[in-house]
């Protein structure tokens, strides 16, 4: 299976609100709109994120659904914050003796080095940006 491309699918309650977030705040470009109203977005040069209307399922997962791997987490956090994205704040989250609390921007150190920051879309779906610096 590792040789096949995969896509992430994100359920949302309101496609207009989703467009404002994914296109306006995250700066993603829709490459296709399907008959059911779902939108396919490109990231990293390939179609990789499908946002579809499904009010009964939107925002139900507590896991991080998508991670963007970036070169400079702080730069991306600053850019997204200026676009109106709010990053999650955590205090004293200890795991395996490592403090995963976030700084004032919402950036957390990653075990083994690097940084990560989490944010949510309007439906509460969790995403992150992660990188070595």
């Amino acid at each position: 299976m590792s040789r096949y491309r995969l896509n992430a699918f994100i359920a949302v309650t309101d496609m207009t609100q989703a467009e404002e977030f994914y296109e306006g705040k995250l700066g993603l470009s829709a490459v296709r709109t399907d008959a059911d109203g779902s939108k396919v977005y490109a990231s990293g040069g390939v179609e990789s994120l499908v946002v579809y209307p499904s009010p009964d399922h939107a925002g139900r997962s507590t896991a991080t659904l998508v991670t963007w791997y970036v070169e400079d987490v702080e730069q991306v956090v600053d850019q997204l914050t200026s676009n109106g994205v709010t990053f999650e704040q955590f205090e004293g989250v200890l795991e395996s003796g490592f403090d995963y609390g976030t700084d004032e921007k919402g950036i957390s150190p990653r075990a083994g080095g690097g940084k990560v920051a989490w944010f949510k879309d309007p439906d509460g779906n969790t995403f992150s940006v992660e990188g070595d610096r």
Side-chain angles (χ1 to χ4, degrees):
M1 295 302 292
S2 65
R3 66 184 172 131
Y4 300 105
R5 187 173 65 88
L6 61 87
N7 287 344
F9 287 76
I10 306 298
V12 299
T13 56
D14 181 301
M15 286 302 295
T16 300
Q17 184 177 10
E19 289 171 15
E20 291 170 5
F21 181 79
Y22 290 94
E23 295 172 27
K25 293 186 178 186
L26 298 186
L28 297 177
S29 297
V31 294
R32 186 174 75 243
T33 300
D34 290 335
D36 66 352
S38 63
K39 288 199 162 207
V40 179
Y41 292 97
S43 186
V46 296
E47 293 180 9
S48 54
L49 181 65
V50 179
V51 176
Y52 67 97
S54 182
D56 292 339
H57 299 100
R60 293 191 177 254
S61 176
T62 58
T64 302
L65 299 177
V66 177
T67 297
W68 281 269
Y69 295 96
V70 302
E71 291 180 16
D72 188 333
V73 171
E74 194 154 338
Q75 177 187 19
V76 172
V77 166
D78 288 345
Q79 176 187 357
L80 292 176
T81 299
S82 72
N83 288 349
V85 174
T86 301
F87 284 84
E88 298 296 297
Q89 295 288 323
F90 302 106
E91 284 189 34
V93 179
L94 291 175
E95 185 176 308
S96 303
F98 193 77
D99 182 359
Y100 285 94
T102 56
D103 65 15
E104 66 281 350
K105 291 183 178 185
I107 299 172
S108 175
R110 199 175 58 187
K115 298 175 182 178
V116 62
W118 293 270
F119 62 97
K120 294 183 178 184
D121 75 356
D123 286 298
N125 295 306
T126 303
F127 304 104
S128 70
V129 292
E130 185 174 330
D132 292 331
R133 55 186 183 131

